[in-house]
């Protein structure tokens, strides 16, 4: 493992020596052990292994998927939070700045391909949906059927600009009319539009040659909405489940456990 060539080239242009960069360590590798002094200072167990970590989003992926030893191409995680982030296990590396797609190495066999949209569930707050109302409206298993027939034309941004699956800093929000007389219809339109972003995201990965989507685990605040989960499964054409564990700290522990 090493830094990418373009980074060394940039350092050369700037006249900066390469040794200013730290050593690249494979995530999950044992880097050392807790010393007696460090154990006393931080109330840790002396001799405990110190393991190289990873980014928060990748750690969250590990938390959602649990069994890293048996990952297969096509397994994906959608994080339905204030933004919408997708990560897909692929045998093929995919990087495309025009659609905001990037890849992280995943062991020696796979790549973790994905992107993150500016659109997400925070748009619900801009229409004054609180947790109580969301829960109440979502008890209707047919919630998504109330959406307008052209609801997939909406694009649920809060502000101007998108990065994935459309990389356009000037893209404007396209939102449904704020109709407080029909809150169920309004919510359905917003959820359908976020689902559309997710669908376009996985299509972008497929069009670029990533492995075919086979299943999706869901993290984030939107994961618990059952009518929405069923609708997303229909749209994506694959099983969609709510992840049992989503905390990045849990995923970091799963990563470390593999090497211990």
């Amino acid at each position: 493992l090493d830094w990418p060539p373009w980074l060394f080239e940039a350092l050369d242009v700037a006249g900066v020596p390469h040794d200013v960069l730290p050593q690249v360590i494979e995530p999950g590798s044992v880097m050392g052990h807790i010393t007696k002094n460090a154990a006393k200072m931080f109330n840790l167990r002396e001799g405990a292994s110190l393991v190289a970590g990873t980014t928060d989003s990748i750690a969250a992926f590990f938390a959602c998927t649990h069994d890293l030893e048996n990952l297969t191409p096509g397994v994906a995680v959608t994080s339905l939070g204030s933004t919408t982030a997708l990560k897909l296990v692929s045998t093929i590396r995919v990087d495309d700045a025009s659609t905001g797609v990037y890849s992280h190495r995943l062991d020696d066999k796979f790549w973790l391909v994905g992107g993150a949209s500016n659109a997400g569930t925070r748009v619900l707050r801009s229409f004054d949906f609180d947790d109580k109302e969301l829960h109440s409206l979502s008890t209707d298993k047919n919630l998504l059927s109330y959406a307008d027939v052209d609801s997939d034309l909406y694009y649920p941004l809060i502000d101007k600009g998108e990065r994935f699956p459309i990389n356009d800093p000037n893209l404007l929000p396209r939102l449904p009319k704020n109709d407080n007389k029909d809150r169920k219809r309004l919510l359905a339109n917003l959820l359908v539009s976020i689902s559309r972003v997710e669908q376009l995201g996985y299509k972008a990965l497929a069009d670029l040659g990533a492995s075919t989507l086979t299943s999706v685990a869901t993290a984030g605040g939107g994961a618990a909405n059952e009518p929405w989960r069923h609708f997303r499964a229909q749209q994506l054409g694959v099983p969609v489940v709510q992840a049992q564990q989503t905390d990045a700290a849990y995923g970091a522990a799963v990563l470390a456990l593999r090497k211990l």
Side-chain angles (χ1 to χ4, degrees):
L1 296 178
D2 206 346
W3 297 97
W6 63 262
L7 183 54
F8 291 126
E9 293 170 5
L11 291 177
D12 291 339
V13 171
V16 178
H18 294 184
D19 60 10
V20 301
L21 297 173
Q23 181 183 359
V24 178
I25 302 293
E26 180 182 358
S29 299
V30 176
M31 303 172 62
H33 298 85
I34 301 298
T35 64
K36 182 177 181 179
N37 288 340
K40 183 178 181 180
M41 183 179 300
F42 298 105
N43 194 29
L44 298 172
R45 181 174 61 84
E46 181 181 353
S49 298
L50 185 63
V51 179
T54 186
T55 67
D56 56 350
S57 61
I58 294 180
F61 175 89
F62 291 157
C64 292
T65 50
H66 290 295
D67 189 359
L68 303 186
E69 302 300 332
N70 294 306
L71 282 179
T72 57
V75 171
V77 171
T78 297
S79 296
L80 292 174
S82 57
T83 61
T84 302
L86 314 181
K87 291 196 180 297
L88 169 75
V89 178
S90 175
T91 57
I92 300 170
R93 177 176 180 172
V94 175
D95 295 287
D96 182 48
S98 69
T99 52
V101 174
Y102 55 89
S103 294
H104 292 276
R105 181 179 172 183
L106 185 61
D107 285 338
D108 296 324
K109 299 183 295 182
F110 302 127
W111 295 91
L112 201 53
V113 180
S117 169
N118 291 335
T121 57
R122 65 176 176 166
V123 74
L124 304 179
R125 302 304 187 192
S126 71
F127 285 88
D128 298 322
F129 284 103
D130 58 24
D131 290 344
K132 182 178 180 180
E133 185 180 16
L134 288 172
H135 177 75
S136 175
L137 294 176
S138 298
T139 57
D140 185 345
K141 66 179 181 180
N142 297 314
L143 170 64
L144 279 296
S145 67
Y146 293 91
D148 297 336
V149 293
D150 59 351
S151 57
D152 61 347
L153 298 179
Y154 301 132
Y155 206 94
L157 295 170
I158 295 294
D159 302 302
K160 182 178 75 171
E162 176 62 305
R163 47 184 173 160
F164 170 81
I166 303 167
N167 192 1
D168 181 358
N170 296 310
L171 186 67
L172 296 174
R174 298 194 300 271
L175 300 171
K177 181 181 178 182
N178 191 352
D179 185 3
N180 280 319
K181 295 181 180 179
D182 194 344
R183 299 286 285 175
K184 186 174 289 187
R185 178 184 177 187
L186 176 59
L187 177 58
N189 281 329
L190 293 170
L191 294 182
V192 167
S193 65
I194 298 171
S195 301
R196 179 62 173 164
V197 172
E198 179 186 29
Q199 186 179 24
L200 289 173
Y202 284 119
K203 182 179 185 302
L205 301 185
D207 289 345
L208 290 167
S211 295
T212 302
L213 182 68
T214 59
S215 65
V216 176
T218 312
N225 190 308
E226 278 297 294
W228 194 17
R229 182 181 67 80
H230 285 291
F231 177 81
R232 291 170 47 232
Q234 292 173 356
Q235 295 298 106
L236 295 172
V238 299
V240 174
V241 300
Q242 179 181 354
Q244 298 302 306
Q245 294 285 348
T246 62
D247 196 300
Y250 183 93
V254 170
L255 174 65
L257 187 61
R258 300 177 66 204
K259 301 292 185 177
L260 300 178

